Amino acid sequence: MKKIVTLFVITLISINLTSCGYNTMQAYEEEVFAAWGDVEAAYQRRMDLIPNLVATVKAYAAHEKDTLTAVIEARSKVGSFQVTKEVLNDPASFQKFQAAQGSLSSALSRLMVIVEKYPDLKANQNFTDLQNQLEGTENRINVARVRYNQAVQKFNTSIRSFPNSLTNSMFLHLERKEPFKAQEEAAKAPKVDFQ
């Protein structure tokens, strides 16, 4: 009888451990980190393209120095921001990172408006290729952000759902991750002026 009770207790404990979500929550957190790596890779691609884009535009639009300087400064600011996995757990650092990326996107948008003033530049194959590369990169960044947000939602839900929430509070102590949010100025339509 004692063996049966012991076997029953062991079976009950193993069933509880398999449904406690311990491994699942860690797997979901790893998905968040992998998705974040994709976001970083897309941002790095943009950082690598910007010097070529600026150099090409600079050759045609030497007197548009302020806008070119804004792009270079925004890129420098983004490049100096150290992004680690700890940023994902720190909402303030995460918001600073988003703000830096937003200012770079804004500077690039202003640069593209200036390009409209230079028909020869728009016709230049090198510039067109760079512009297409940059546009594709911006799309990749958006896709990476969406996938990151999906991974964050899945992870955050897993650590808050029962019985995972008990396992997390007793053993893992994992914290919610911050999703990407739109910048405040994103709610306003951009003003395009070709004059």
Side-chain angles (χ1 to χ4, degrees), residues 14 22 57 64 72 78 81 91-92 98-99 121 127 145 150 161 164 167 173 175 179:
S14 64
Y22 186 89
V57 173
E64 302 289 357
I72 292 166
V78 167
F81 196 93
Q98 276 190 274
L121 176 58
F127 176 77
R145 285 176 176 171
Q150 290 170 342
S161 301
N164 293 4
T167 303
H173 309 288
E175 295 182 22

Side-chain angles (χ1 to χ4, degrees), residues 32-46:
V32 169
F33 293 147
W36 179 250
D38 292 343
V39 170
E40 287 182 311
Y43 281 142
Q44 184 61 52
R45 178 178 162 84
R46 178 170 67 178

Side-chain angles (χ1 to χ4, degrees), residues 7-56:
L7 183 61
F8 178 74
V9 169
I10 291 173
T11 304
L12 185 62
I13 289 173
S14 64
I15 288 172
N16 283 335
L17 287 177
T18 59
S19 65
C20 70
Y22 186 89
N23 291 332
T24 303
M25 287 183 285
Q26 292 183 61
Y28 289 164
E29 186 176 41
E30 289 303 318
E31 283 183 37
V32 169
F33 293 147
W36 179 250
D38 292 343
V39 170
E40 287 182 311
Y43 281 142
Q44 184 61 52
R45 178 178 162 84
R46 178 170 67 178
M47 292 285 288
D48 294 343
L49 286 172
I50 289 172
N52 296 325
L53 182 69
V54 169
T56 303

Side-chain angles (χ1 to χ4, degrees), residues 110-127:
R110 287 191 307 274
L111 179 64
M112 291 303 154
V113 168
I114 284 177
V115 166
E116 292 295 322
K117 294 180 180 179
Y118 299 94
D120 291 342
L121 176 58
K122 289 192 311 185
N124 179 294
Q125 188 61 45
N126 290 337
F127 176 77

Side-chain angles (χ1 to χ4, degrees), residues 103-173:
S103 67
L104 180 56
S105 293
S106 177
L108 285 172
S109 295
R110 287 191 307 274
L111 179 64
M112 291 303 154
V113 168
I114 284 177
V115 166
E116 292 295 322
K117 294 180 180 179
Y118 299 94
D120 291 342
L121 176 58
K122 289 192 311 185
N124 179 294
Q125 188 61 45
N126 290 337
F127 176 77
T128 303
D129 291 345
L130 282 169
Q131 189 176 12
N132 289 338
Q133 289 283 328
L134 195 57
E135 183 180 326
T137 299
E138 292 299 321
N139 288 336
R140 289 178 187 186
I141 289 169
N142 187 49
V143 167
R145 285 176 176 171
V146 167
R147 288 182 181 158
Y148 170 78
N149 282 350
Q150 290 170 342
V152 165
Q153 179 197 13
K154 187 175 180 183
F155 171 76
N156 288 346
T157 301
S158 77
I159 66 171
R160 296 179 68 210
S161 301
F162 185 81
N164 293 4
S165 59
L166 293 177
T167 303
N168 187 42
S169 64
M170 292 186 334
F171 300 112
L172 296 172
H173 309 288

